[in-house]
Amino acid sequence: MVLEVRKPRPLWEILFSTHHTDIGLLYIIFSLTLFFMGGVLAIGIRTELFLPGVQLIEDSNTFHRIFTVHGTTMLFLWVIPFGSGIGNYLIPIMVRYKDMAWPKLNAVAFWMIPVGAALVWLGWADTSWTAYPPYSILRAPGPAAEMWIFGLKILGISSILGAINFVVTILRMKHPDLPLMKMPLLSWSILSTSLIILMSMPTFAAALIMLYTDRLGVSGFFNPAMGGDPIAYQHLFWFTFHPEVYVFLIPAVGMIYEIIPKFSRKPIFSYTSGVTAFILLTIVSFASWAHHMFATGMSFTEKTVFMIGTLAAVPASAMHIFNWIATMWGGRIRFRAPIAFVVGGIILFFLAGAGGIVNSAMPLDFLTHDSYWVVGHMHLFLMGLITHAFIGFIYYLLPMITGRMYNEKAAMVQFWLLFIGTSLIFITQHLLGLYGMPRRVADYVPVEPLIIMNQISTVGAYIVLASMGIFLVNLIRSAGWGKPAKMEDPFEIGEKYYDYRRREPHH
Amino acid sequence: MSSDDSHGHDKEPIILTSPRRLGKGMVMIAITLAIGAAILIPLFDEMFEIPPPVTQIRTESPAAEEGEGEQGAAPAEEGTTRITILAGAAVQGSPDYDPDPGQVPAGNSIVWDNQDTVPHTATSGTGPQDPNSAQLFDTSIVNGGEESTAVQLQGVSEGQTIPYYCIVHPYMTGELTISAAGQGAAGGGGGSAQSGNTTGAAGGGGGGAAGGPTLTILEGSSIQGSPDYDPDELTVAAGADVTVMNQDTLPHTVTSGTGPQDPNSGQTFDTSLINGGESATLSLAQVAAGPYDYHCMVHPYMTGKLTVQ
């Protein structure tokens, strides 16, 4: 399946390969598979909520198990592995080295992910992806919850190994003739992401161990009956997972920086501001974790500090958006599928960001906390910007991976369906939250506004389902039967395309 | 130089993905997923069965420790089973009743010792939604640090398991298991023992009793989630007058219907506003027999049920 130079190799050779393109391919195929599986669960959730009462899922326990696996899958088995996959494909090419710094470590990091995924998917815990104690230690039934804890543990170690490999590849294996400030911005984004993972992940790794020993009853870190503090877990959790939000976001930003200048046929408006914004986001990502916990009874000072810390991320994100718009401005934009997805993503990112400012304002957070507003906000961000950018980038990378072109018309139809569907689902969910619908419920009060808004949201989900159907068919058809791509410039935009045989600078 | 190089690259054929190889890859994914599904589907419920080990540890060890301490005191109250409401039980997810399930020798009376700082109850039934809630026994509110009155179970047989819960914190649940009559226990004859069930649904059923049936609106009812109407499910004879006593400090109503959205809200009966500390009489002379939901217009989350016989 991978682009091969001399002759096709048997598939098992790709499976057990340590070469970065092979591992990148495995990452991408794995994450796409899990993306579709997690999507099926999302459709189940939306179908259940189409009407109040019981539709599809008979007991709320099963509902909890479904949204837990959906959340865990989409975050840890779709967004993160996909980012690593693209990094694996492109980073060695961009820093002009023959492979990743440690190819075997790279393979290990990938193969831990299916193990973690198997634990999560065979257990079906009901803790929700946050696994807050005391429920997760005192009530959540095993072995599902134990499997979830170990699955996440393995996924965390895998991210750390991958991140170490990226940092070393970028900083130490970079071609000596290539200065850091001439690297493509995608390399900068992967570097920032990896640094965030290295700094944040160990905290959650520790929290998971504490959670597990608490479940066993040998410790009581988070167990109020043994003098522990459940809020401490939330601090440890969000110390990892607020920065992790930027781990989800920054690779997508890097991909957008690859697509926009090429399709606008104009150099990036300001390379330096892009790098600055990446570094700022890396730092600021650690200054806002407790904005997830405004409702836990923190002091006014703490809340104010974290509110300001959260708002500090706004200028950095705005620098990126400004940079993209300024790059497109006056460019001769060729609207092929990749840039269409990216532009749609930027629009939805703007909306998600505006909603985020409302959340982060501490007094307003009390209104939106644990309501569907939050669900809408974080999905608009994950589906809107990140998934849009990722899908655009898959189309952009398809000629490199398969040597074939995708079907442009189908991709554009998919884009419009995805854009409209995403807006319908998640903008409506903001309103649902303001109307008082709590999150994580299988049923709701049968009043007209709630029913109508839930139905709009579910119809949006079906539109996204249709777009994903088109996506899957387009991927399979194009990978197997698509028109052979002109590898110099498959999109006919007069820009150089990636060539993975070309590693020397000044070529 | 560079043009030569790229020329050289062009000559190398690019091997395209063939449908055959793509198919092979997809078959590999499908087989993996099928194996996963074959493992998961039969085990789906079993993966969700074992309670966390911490709960098992905590139900056993404190029982053993306290057993030593209280064994000396126990003979003084022969025929009484003591169940502790642990400190911190009000926090959802914490251990609550101890021991749970409690072994009650047939004929024994039961005393709940509230060691927590907030009030609790031990009320038979699985939860506030249980239609048979409080039918068998109800300690009513036991304040923090106090003990309940002795509860004598009637009409229970050996081996039976009786669920109970706390009205104030419905997530606190426990079970009683009736075992063989204890040695030297008072025997099963104690028919005169008070069940503590003074506000049980059956209590209002008589209708003809002096003073007629009474419905109390408890203090603190206006706070969502607090106990509100007492008894929550009242059964009265047709044509009776129900005295509604508002013990709260805020105004409440007793209005028929499931809530303000109910189109028939207030059609069958309605006390209209009863100020805090005042009483009102609800006349059921015009009301046909049958079950009726009622609620408080001011606080729609306060709901109850009235059955007219």
Side-chain angles (χ1 to χ4, degrees), chain A residues 100-132:
Chain A
M100 294 290 281
W102 291 303
K104 281 182 188 163
L105 186 73
N106 199 20
V108 169
F110 170 73
W111 282 106
M112 288 174 88
I113 294 181
V115 177
L119 283 170
V120 170
W121 272 80
L122 292 179
W124 288 72
D126 71 334
T127 52
S128 100
W129 79 278
T130 50
Y132 280 173

Side-chain angles (χ1 to χ4, degrees), chain A residues 418-489:
Chain A
L418 183 66
F419 183 73
I420 293 167
T422 308
S423 315
L424 279 182
I425 310 174
F426 300 119
I427 294 175
T428 321
Q429 287 185 355
H430 281 73
L431 302 177
L432 267 176
L434 291 184
Y435 200 82
M437 171 134 168
R439 59 193 293 202
R440 297 177 181 141
V441 287
D443 192 3
Y444 50 92
V445 188
V447 290
E448 201 174 307
L450 283 189
I451 296 175
I452 290 174
M453 284 192 277
N454 267 302
Q455 287 181 343
I456 294 174
S457 185
T458 304
V459 168
Y462 292 149
I463 295 175
V464 170
L465 178 70
S467 101
M468 289 303 160
I470 296 172
F471 180 42
L472 187 62
V473 173
N474 196 356
L475 274 188
I476 293 172
R477 274 190 62 100
S478 312
W481 297 268
K483 235 176 32 202
K486 296 186 220 50
M487 289 310 287
E488 247 80 280
D489 182 14

